[in-house]
Amino acid sequence: MHISTTSWHRYMALPAFALFSLFFLLPLIQGAGLSLTHWDGFSTPEFAGLDNFREFFRDERALGDVKTTVLFALGSAPLLNLAGLSLALLLNRSFSGRNTTRALLYMPAVISPMIMGSIWYLLLQPRRGLLALLFEQSGITLEGNWMLSGPSALTVLVLVNVWQYAGMTMIIYLAGLQSIPAELYEASAVEGATGVQTFRYIVIPELLPALKINVITNIIGSLSVFDVIIALTGGGPGYDTESLSIYIMRMCYGNKTGYSTAVALMLFVIILIPVIISLRFFDSMEDAA
Amino acid sequence: MSKKRGWMNAVLMTLLLCAAAVPLTASGAVESTTEIDYFSGRVETVEWTDEKIAEFEQLNPSITVQHEFQKDASNVIKVKLASKSVPDLTTVVNQDFIDQGVFADLSDAPFWDRILPSVKDLCTDLRTGKQYKVATNVTMGGLFYNQEIFTELGLTDAQTWDGFVANLEAIKAAYPQKTPLFFGGKDSWTLGHLIEFWAHGVVKQDLGIPGSRQAFLDNTVQWDAPDGVMEQFAEALMELEQKGLINDDAVTASYDNQKEAFASGEAVMINQGMWVVGDIISLNPAMAENIGFGPFPSVVDGFSPMVLCAEDSVYAISAETEHMDEVMLFLDYMFSPAVQKEYSEVRSMPSAFTDVASDWSPIKDDARRLVDTYVNINFSTEAPSGLSVDDTGRLIQKLLNGDYASAADFAANYQELWNKAY
């Protein structure tokens, strides 16, 4: 008697698919439905067609938040990868205290971003933060207020975000670096390759899977940034540093729940575009390698 | 035969298990308890409320009160309403919920005879003339000032905007290192209260409390009127900023900074509600005897100084509750004079009950004087609920940051925000 083992495997995926449907597909479909309604969050939703999506493209605050979110991601995602890769290359060498250094660099990533943001606020707050007080005691008065201008506030937010998550990116790169066979380095040394050539032709191609994971997770994380902004600037001054995630939350609880769901779907699309481009790029790189 | 005995044994075992699962009293009677859900967002009194619930349950063993506290209660309750799990009793009430018929009509409840008529008026729904909520306390807001410095400089309550600016200038001249008026604008609701008190206050004074409530409800106030209240309000704030009478980090300092600055003596005046008093005294107990409380002046000429005197500590009962009698019994206990005296002192707020006398705050004499002397205004409970003080505060952040070309632009932006939320 022939027993098909393949079909059993299919059935084993059912529980996972059921959970995925319950906690992802169903809310997504419901969300798409709600985005087509005027709903304050508690009364009966009224069908509104595509009104919410049309409103999004007319909403100056929302469009400003898209700009802020994209600028944040453009700063944060590349810097995170750069910092993570640099740290991984440094800490891939052997020296005393290496494990402690790795643990210390990774530690910020496991602390709540809200707590982290609040601590950074206490350190960096203009006039009253620890840094300002230390400078003052040294006889230096820091002029200006970084929180008052959108660009400077955004720069600080990017740097704090990079400081927090560089350790996590580093760990993934480190795992990738350690999986590169020593023979490849030995062969390149025998061939007389320079350090730059080894990095270009050995390290980078072998690190492609780690690069892919880091680039994509950092794009997603940076475009959906929330906590660090809430803790450090609250999105201010005005709405200058408000991200789209914060806007969605504020609209959702500001009696515009239907509209906020439409904006959430727009954010989904905004994240999806660079993720698909990156995936295709890395797939073609992997094929070429 | 043995098969039949097996079935009998199974049935007997099931019956025994069922019997064991049912709680029995000593007399053998089944004890039934009613559970009521009490949803609250009052962070200051979570432990105190739990204590009172334990006392109530001891007196009424047949009722269990499930107290749920949420810091973000005003948002969490929307989720509860959307999922049709409305708590039997809640402290979170807004006009939209009342309009949706979420709450029960309390107009015939027995406690109204003991509540200040002015508070009952503020609890009355303008659309129906009924009461869907009850408030047990009165909260006040105004300008807190350093009593010693005011006495030393011979300053008194400013009766006009010019008088207020003159007071601040006198403080600045005498104490250049101190901040005459301190804002904690990072927490934008603290700035939003300036609109709530200083700007809306003028409209409330102009139209009267019932008239302004109706105007807010009908959206008939023109906020962007040329040289209107919002424009003059913006000009007033810009004047304070230009003359250096407020802290130069007014937009980025936090509410905590504001309290610390006042408690330490760095700031001479702050615009706040009486909820701040307890924290100031905790930060610096010596301030207990040094906190003065005054009205805020009108930003429009021709109006009197004002003090916020509004309902606080609100309760509402679900229209769908199946336990109305039990909830009323619980409220009856919570509203008893002894419990309300305690509550008033814990919250540092005067009671709205006429038969409750409490020693609620070191500023209570000043508060009494202000209520009797100046125009009393309420919270804008009929403003669109989608327009939070957090949002309006962000407009002031932008104003103080120089993002508006003129006061008229600020007023126009406010009108736009109001209309969107309406």
Side-chain angles (χ1 to χ4, degrees), chain A residues 46-203:
Chain A
E46 287 170 26
F47 183 72
L50 294 174
D51 276 6
N52 288 330
F53 293 94
R54 277 192 282 267
E55 189 184 338
F56 174 79
F57 289 104
R58 287 194 301 262
D59 185 345
E60 281 177 27
R61 181 174 159 192
L63 297 178
D65 290 350
V66 170
K67 186 179 157 196
T68 304
T69 308
V70 170
L71 282 175
F72 179 88
L74 283 175
S76 176
L79 271 180
L80 267 171
N81 280 286
L82 203 65
L85 183 59
S86 307
L87 288 170
L89 289 169
L90 280 174
L91 296 179
N92 198 32
R93 299 158 188 224
S94 62
F95 59 91
S96 64
R98 185 177 69 168
N99 289 342
T100 313
T101 313
R102 284 178 181 174
L104 283 173
L105 284 168
Y106 184 70
M107 209 172 279
V110 296
I111 300 172
S112 151
M114 276 303 275
I115 296 170
M116 214 67 257
S118 302
I119 292 170
W120 275 105
Y121 176 71
L122 292 175
L123 291 173
L124 298 177
Q125 188 190 359
R127 309 273 193 279
R128 295 163 197 281
L130 186 66
L131 201 68
L133 294 179
L134 284 175
F135 272 105
E136 198 178 296
Q137 281 178 358
S138 316
I140 305 164
T141 307
L142 293 176
E143 293 298 331
N145 184 331
W146 65 266
M147 279 176 79
L148 283 184
S149 116
S152 61
L154 204 60
T155 307
V156 172
L157 289 168
V158 167
L159 292 177
V160 169
N161 193 57
V162 169
W163 180 85
Q164 176 154 31
Y165 293 113
M168 187 180 271
T169 312
M170 172 198 78
I171 289 291
I172 295 169
Y173 280 128
L174 212 47
L177 285 172
Q178 286 174 0
S179 68
I180 300 174
E183 292 84 359
L184 289 179
Y185 290 115
E186 288 163 10
S188 69
V190 168
E191 296 291 333
T194 62
V196 174
Q197 284 170 325
T198 307
F199 183 73
R200 166 71 185 83
Y201 295 105
I202 306 284
V203 177

Side-chain angles (χ1 to χ4, degrees), chain B residues 205-249:
Chain B
Q205 187 176 161
D206 189 22
L207 302 177
I209 300 293
S212 63
R213 288 178 70 197
Q214 195 65 53
F216 286 177
L217 208 57
D218 299 339
N219 195 15
T220 54
V221 180
Q222 196 192 343
W223 297 109
D224 59 353
D227 206 29
V229 60
M230 206 48 81
E231 205 176 306
Q232 294 199 45
F233 166 76
E235 279 165 0
L237 278 187
M238 288 195 288
E239 181 187 359
L240 296 182
E241 189 182 35
Q242 280 154 11
K243 289 183 172 170
L245 300 174
I246 58 174
N247 46 317
D248 57 3
D249 60 347

Side-chain angles (χ1 to χ4, degrees), chain B residues 195-197 199-210 212-213 216 306 308 375-381:
Chain B
I195 289 186
E196 174 71 13
F197 301 171
H200 287 188
V202 175
V203 176
K204 289 165 191 169
Q205 187 176 161
D206 189 22
L207 302 177
I209 300 293
S212 63
R213 288 178 70 197
F216 286 177
M306 290 160 277
L308 174 88
V375 175
N376 292 195
I377 61 163
N378 62 326
F379 273 122
S380 306
T381 43

Side-chain angles (χ1 to χ4, degrees), chain A residues 39 41-43 59 61 121 125-128 145 147-148 231-232 234-240 250 253-255, chain B residues 75 78 81-82 96-97 100 182 186 248-249 251-254 257 266 385-386 390-391 394 397-398 401 420:
Chain A
W39 188 42
F42 51 91
S43 57
D59 185 345
R61 181 174 159 192
Y121 176 71
Q125 188 190 359
R127 309 273 193 279
R128 295 163 197 281
N145 184 331
M147 279 176 79
L148 283 184
L232 264 170
Y239 300 111
D240 283 0
R250 287 181 173 153
Y253 292 123
N255 284 13
Chain B
N75 289 326
K78 290 179 183 171
L81 296 182
D96 287 340
F97 302 163
Q100 294 285 331
F182 194 102
K186 178 184 180 258
D248 57 3
D249 60 347
V251 176
T252 57
S254 65
N257 294 146
E266 176 197 339
S385 63
D390 184 81
D391 284 322
R394 283 177 192 281
Q397 283 183 345
K398 288 169 72 177
N401 203 24
K420 262 182 146 179

Side-chain angles (χ1 to χ4, degrees), chain B residues 340-349 357-360:
Chain B
Q340 280 304 309
K341 179 180 185 297
E342 259 186 60
Y343 183 80
S344 166
E345 287 167 1
V346 167
R347 291 291 312 273
S348 302
M349 277 191 297
S358 63
D359 189 16
W360 56 270

